[in-house]
Amino acid sequence: MFEAVSRRAVVGGAAATAVVVPFAVTFKGQTTGSPGAPATVSASLPTTSLGAYLQIDTSDQVTLAIGSTEMGQGIMTGMAQLVAEELMLSWSQIKVVHAPASTAKPNPYANPLFHAQVTGGSTSMRGWYLPMRQAAAIAGQTLLTAAAKLTPGGTWTFAPGGKVTNGLKTYLFSDLVATAANVPVPTSAPLATTSNFIGKRIARTDIPAKVDGSAVFGIDVQVTGMVFASVVHSPILGGTVATMPKTSNGALALVNLGNAVGVVATNTWSAMNIANGLASKVTWTPPASTATRDSASILAVGDALLTSTSATAYVYETTGSVDPAAVIPGSHAKIDATYHLPYLAHACMEVLNCTAVVTSTACEVWAPTQGQQFCIPTIQAITGLAPEAITVHTTYLGGGLGRKIDQDYIAQAVTIAKAVGKPVKLTWSRKQDFQNDKFRPCAAIRVQAGLDSVNNFTGMVYRNVSPSISVQRGGPQTGNPEDTGAVAGALALPYAIPNRRIEFVPNPADIPLGYWRSVGESYNTFAVESAIDELAKAAGVDPMAFRKAQLAGNARALGVLNAVDTLSGWSAGPAPKNNARGVAFLSGFGSYIALVAQISVNSTGQIQVNKMFCAIDCGLAVNPNLIEAQVQGGIAHGLSAALWGQVTFAAGAPNVVNFSNYRVLRLKEMPPVAITIVASTAAPGGVGETGVPCVAPALANAYAKLTNNRVRTLPFYPGATMSDG
């Protein structure tokens, strides 16, 4: 952690060691906090600054504190590239750390798109691209002004390696810090026109530590004097503790957490084993809705609502003056298809964990969190402490996928630490992690659509029936539920559909929900892109050509389709013998992506994914390596979900217990992935979520072409286990 220096103190001090400007704050460095924990920046910073903070110190090290969480997507590296470009740094000069959780209003570390210190929705680069560059440019302009003050004359410009020069005299940044602290700070500065870092394949800043084991994830945190905890939850979702033992052999303490019992022991393994054995000794009060928390019942309700004329349907989009439902029946080619998608678990490699220290005057937490914005209010509610008495350190995440926005594991760690009066490291077991997830909603989707005699759309009626994340998390319970995320991927389709209506009907099922990678697009894209293929087949048109025809006025959409066409050889000739190709397209998260899956069927009759081809236009590509890695990871994630991903429920109890019955892609099953990044001058778009949604429809479209069997219900192979295949 850094010791903050107030703006007044720095500006007024002759011995200043740091420069402070409205968009780029610097402070003298003093590392404190837990040994081995990733450095963070003090929360006590000027609120006039914008989100990201820069420290330019007397050793010529530039440290950048970011509000976004590094969870494997490489955002620390991307942000560093923006700053290095503006200041013409050497790559070794820049260091990136997680900023602290802040309760300032406005939150200085809040993503400009979310207005909250939250990482998700592929928004980090989209939100920070210009603000980060502007912050660095203003810091740089301040240094140039300082140089001109020390040595008037000539034009001062940057030189490589953190230097400024006028051709006759050269200063290191460290030579200028004290002077820069006392010069007027500009409100704006020109951005760099170079391309030394932006657009380049720069090595990631976080990889060396992750390779040599020195990187600290939440599960690695060590605090002097800490004890260890795990939990056992009600086997029925939503159940609460009715009775529990006061003690258990080997436990230092048992803590009633309401919906769970916390077990404190001398090590994590003991805590997990005691918690596992405690399950039969705790009695639980089940929720009133237990009987309806059943997969068969939820499916039946969803299907009934798909066709109900009395259900409250929230219409999120209408185009055209004609009722779409009225024009479809007379269409030359038409479909009326229903698609089903299951609940899914997040299944992060790193289970939920949190380390907490609570005293009567302060609380300090180390957590792998995507939701810093919510941590301090969570802790306040438990401890009663003022915000300034609470410190939250963000560690690296062993996968986030949306699950680690939630606060349940943080609240538990703080509650246990408060109860026992010692530092506590809480780690959920894998079973508890799976069975007490915040699941991606299931969905039943009906698509009615038609084409005229020249294969142009006549209309589309789209109805999504799924549980509402927004309503479950306190959004409006009546009237418009304001859950556009439920139909994300179906709204504002770029296809030329003159008459369309997009509806959402909430399924009342109350299985706990969460934001899963690519959220609404993960299920709506399956329905939309499957329906597009089904329409093309009904019209006897090549599905790639059909998409291009319906996107004729959209240059970026055509760009990715043309690129993936060339990359996959789609139009050049048929797929290899016994293979078939399927295509899917998405405009979402500020990007455009097209995916082709090339598959065959193996000797057991199951899909063999032989190759994936992807073209993505994500606007300006800040680091192509990061983009390719995220797309590859998204495809792997999408393959696991499409082929095997499923959570079912019986009387409120989920069926999953571990990866043993939640099948995921094995290393040997990962197909080669060819990726084309389409050159673009548009603002940076999202990448982390974008690679997932097209996978399932591309597979389904290829499978239908290969076998003449249309799969409309995911996963392809329900009930699969890791022993299969």
Side-chain angles (χ1 to χ4, degrees), residues 684-699:
V687 179
E689 320 261 2
T690 315
V692 177
C694 286
V695 175
L699 286 180

Side-chain angles (χ1 to χ4, degrees), residues 191 465 542 593 658:
L191 300 181
V465 178
D542 175 78
I593 190 168
N658 208 318

Side-chain angles (χ1 to χ4, degrees), residues 625-719:
N625 283 352
L626 301 181
I627 294 165
E628 290 171 356
Q630 288 190 77
V631 170
Q632 290 165 349
I635 288 172
H637 193 189
L639 285 171
S640 292
L643 293 170
W644 309 292
Q646 181 185 41
V647 179
T648 61
F649 302 87
N655 71 311
V656 291
V657 294
N658 208 318
F659 285 105
S660 57
N661 71 332
Y662 195 80
R663 173 88 151 85
V664 294
L665 198 71
R666 297 184 180 92
L667 182 62
K668 67 179 181 180
E669 294 168 328
M670 180 66 188
V673 179
I675 300 173
T676 291
I677 301 173
V678 177
S680 178
T681 58
V687 179
E689 320 261 2
T690 315
V692 177
C694 286
V695 175
L699 286 180
N701 294 338
Y703 189 73
K705 190 172 184 179
L706 183 66
T707 66
N708 202 33
N709 178 23
R710 168 60 60 177
V711 172
R712 297 192 183 100
T713 297
L714 294 180
F716 278 83
Y717 306 111

Side-chain angles (χ1 to χ4, degrees), residues 472-549:
Q472 191 176 102
R473 295 187 174 220
Q477 304 296 307
T478 59
N480 191 318
E482 296 182 0
D483 197 356
T484 54
V487 285
L491 291 178
L493 291 172
Y495 292 114
I497 308 173
N499 306 294
R500 65 176 179 253
R501 185 170 71 246
I502 310 299
E503 303 174 346
F504 169 56
V505 177
N507 187 319
D510 64 349
I511 299 295
L513 305 176
Y515 298 101
W516 190 88
R517 188 178 186 178
S518 75
V519 201
E521 281 87 346
S522 71
Y523 38 87
N524 288 303
T525 304
F526 175 66
V528 169
E529 288 298 300
S530 294
I532 292 291
D533 248 55
E534 294 202 57
L535 273 170
K537 182 178 180 180
V541 181
D542 175 78
M544 180 77 78
F546 179 67
R547 285 174 172 81
K548 291 181 183 180

Side-chain angles (χ1 to χ4, degrees), residues 17-19 54-63 83-90 93 136 139-144 146-147 150 157-165 170-181:
T17 59
V19 56
L54 295 173
Q55 171 182 298
I56 304 171
D57 63 23
T58 53
S59 65
D60 290 307
Q61 178 82 36
V62 177
T63 301
V83 173
E85 190 73 72
E86 295 301 325
L87 298 178
M88 207 176 286
L89 300 171
S90 298
Q93 283 182 274
Q141 188 63 49
T142 306
L143 293 169
L144 294 175
L150 288 175
T157 59
F158 291 109
K163 302 171 186 175
V164 300
T165 184
T170 298
Y171 286 113
L172 298 172
F173 282 1
S174 57
D175 299 328
L176 302 171
V177 167
T179 302

Side-chain angles (χ1 to χ4, degrees), residues 289-315:
S289 59
T290 296
T292 61
R293 289 182 165 187
D294 179 88
S295 291
S297 299
I298 294 168
L299 177 62
V301 169
D303 282 347
L305 291 172
L306 274 182
T307 57
S308 172
T309 56
S310 60
T312 301
Y314 301 102
V315 179

